[in-house]
Amino acid sequence: SEIAAMEQELIAGGMPVEEVQSMCDLHSQVLREILVEPVPFPPLPGHPLDTFERENEAIAGVVGELRELARGRELPPDLAAWRNAYSRLADIEKHYQRKENLLFSCLERHGISGPSKVMWGKDDEVRALLSALGDTLAVDAMSADEASLVIETVLEPCLAAIEEMIVKERRILLPMSRETLTDDEWAEIWQESPRYGYCLVEPRQGYRPPPAAAPERVTELARDQAVVFPTGALSFDQLRGILGALPVDITFVDADDRVRYFSEGADRVFERSKAILGREVRHCHPPKSVHVVEEIVGSFRSGRQDVAEFWIQLKERFVHIRYFAVRDSEGGYLGTLEVTQDLTRLRGLEGERRLLEWDGEPA
């Protein structure tokens, strides 16, 4: 907790997150010998802590497997075996997604934002190293000399970064989370975790969350009442159904820069969990893109801009992302609406379709 507080204090004092991030490994390496070994705490099987720990054990196992394969560098490498181990190691994305979107969200409620700023950046470094390793292994053959170069320049830096993050989680993040989060927050993490999936292992049976407290409501809308708009009226069920049926993902950030709503479509491009509700939007993004988010929101708030858009290639998907300033009838800033759409299929449309044709079998 002292290490996390120190890094948070440096950021609060004006030090760029990237600079703190560059010192993160040094902090843990220098202090590793004096860090108190975490007190054994066997959580109930299936508790989020138990799952995070078991995932780290499984990740370490695959790291060891890749190192064992690399010891045969005097021979042409068994690329099939390397690729098999790599594909399992790439499952680490699910572990990082749950950490960044669930665990960090809950820690921030307790004023602990250092890990989300620094660790997220370190996670992205691992992602970049894993991507480079995947590109390197996408070859038909590799000589022993080429394999030695790959091991030294690509494989070993990747495995070392993964191992360093396991140490940070085991010795710093997870013990601090165990001491900080409430039973209700662990229940929330458990409830929302399936949205992101699990890394290499599945949760064990045993843990059951306490009954959820009734959520606070500003007002209660009866299901037979309607929300009246200038152009019509919709019941609660109709409104929820319409928002869920939209062929886009929407997320709304209010005028205080906190996430207040996201749609519940069946095929979201970027997964969302209820843990982000109330979270400051700057904490919902990795450090390398926070400045872009802040620039967009700032330009909307000042009235200088009303729309910002991006498009990216997400593996095989072409994704269009737009941000809109939301204003009241007098032009006052109410917040920012993010609209994300997978345009892969639409980009491929040609000609015309004038007759009714179903794209698939009825559900």
Side-chain angles (χ1 to χ4, degrees):
S1 60
E2 290 174 349
I3 293 173
M6 172 187 67
E7 294 181 343
Q8 191 164 318
E9 190 78 13
L10 291 171
I11 295 169
M15 182 176 287
V17 174
E18 293 77 12
E19 190 169 342
V20 179
Q21 184 178 315
S22 69
M23 297 188 296
C24 184
D25 291 342
L26 178 63
H27 293 161
S28 66
Q29 289 166 5
V30 169
L31 297 173
R32 188 171 300 178
E33 296 304 317
I34 62 171
L35 276 174
V36 177
E37 185 72 18
V39 177
F41 174 73
L44 281 173
H47 187 285
L49 274 173
D50 175 63
T51 305
F52 275 121
E53 290 282 11
R54 291 177 60 242
E55 285 179 332
N56 273 333
E57 291 175 4
I59 293 166
V62 180
V63 167
E65 183 179 332
L66 271 167
R67 281 222 172 91
E68 189 64 32
L69 288 169
R71 288 196 179 98
R73 65 178 70 185
E74 69 279 359
L75 302 172
D78 184 348
L79 283 178
W82 281 37
R83 292 193 193 105
N84 179 274
Y86 167 79
S87 67
R88 285 180 283 129
L89 193 59
D91 214 33
I92 202 171
E93 177 64 22
K94 299 171 185 174
H95 180 93
Y96 287 177
Q97 284 272 332
R98 296 202 327 279
K99 176 175 66 172
E100 294 159 357
N101 293 289
L102 300 177
L103 196 58
F104 288 171
S105 293
C106 292
L107 285 171
E108 286 159 13
R109 299 171 191 170
H110 298 269
I112 302 173
S113 60
S116 63
K117 294 177 181 295
V118 179
M119 273 195 171
W120 200 328
K122 302 302 290 185
D123 289 348
D124 281 348
E125 289 181 7
V126 172
R127 289 180 172 110
L129 290 166
L130 273 171
S131 178
L133 179 58
D135 292 342
T136 302
L137 295 180
V139 294
D140 295 329
M142 186 182 297
S143 68
D145 289 341
E146 290 171 332
S148 295
L149 183 62
V150 167
I151 291 167
E152 180 180 349
T153 62
V154 183
L155 178 66
E156 186 51 41
C158 179
L159 299 185
I162 291 172
E163 288 178 323
E164 185 64 32
M165 181 53 70
I166 291 175
V167 171
K168 289 184 177 71
E169 290 186 11
R170 181 172 179 268
R171 305 288 291 273
I172 300 172
L173 179 66
L174 295 180
M176 181 174 61
S177 301
R178 184 188 74 195
E179 296 171 2
T180 304
L181 302 190
T182 66
D183 289 343
D184 286 340
E185 286 168 329
W186 285 119
E188 182 180 356
I189 292 172
W190 179 85
Q191 184 70 37
E192 296 293 326
S193 288
R195 290 178 179 268
Y196 301 97
Y198 301 97
C199 171
L200 299 175
V201 299
E202 290 293 322
R204 296 189 289 184
Q205 297 296 315
Y207 171 76
R208 283 294 178 268
E216 294 184 10
R217 295 181 182 274
V218 177
T219 184
E220 186 78 28
L221 179 67
R223 305 189 88 82
D224 59 349
Q225 288 183 313
V227 179
V228 180
F229 300 96
T231 54
L234 296 169
S235 71
F236 170 80
D237 284 341
Q238 290 171 334
L239 184 58
R240 182 176 182 180
I242 290 170
L243 291 171
L246 290 174
V248 296
D249 301 341
I250 62 176
T251 303
F252 177 67
V253 177
D254 69 12
D256 295 324
D257 298 341
R258 293 189 178 273
V259 180
R260 292 303 176 194
Y261 171 81
F262 62 88
S263 59
E264 302 174 280
D267 299 307
R268 288 197 60 96
V269 176
F270 300 113
E271 194 57 76
R272 297 281 189 265
S273 74
K274 294 176 183 177
I276 70 168
L277 296 176
R279 191 181 190 187
E280 289 187 57
V281 67
R282 62 191 177 93
H283 293 324
C284 297
H285 298 268
K288 64 183 180 182
S289 61
V290 168
H291 70 285
V292 177
V293 175
E294 291 178 338
E295 182 178 348
I296 291 171
V297 173
S299 66
F300 287 177
R301 189 188 306 279
S302 68
R304 290 185 290 110
Q305 300 290 340
D306 285 309
V307 181
E309 64 178 338
F310 307 89
W311 46 93
I312 60 174
Q313 195 70 42
L314 196 62
K315 295 184 178 178
E316 295 81 22
R317 306 167 81 181
F318 181 80
V319 178
H320 190 213
I321 307 167
R322 287 173 290 175
Y323 296 89
F324 300 93
V326 179
R327 307 191 188 280
D328 60 23
S329 58
E330 298 179 355
Y333 178 71
L334 297 176
T336 295
L337 182 69
E338 179 192 71
V339 181
T340 303
Q341 186 173 13
D342 181 352
L343 293 181
T344 308
R345 176 180 175 275
L346 297 182
R347 291 182 86 202
L349 293 180
E350 295 180 350
E352 297 181 338
R353 175 190 282 187
R354 291 178 174 270
L355 300 177
L356 176 63
E357 296 179 21
W358 300 108
D359 287 328
E361 294 295 325

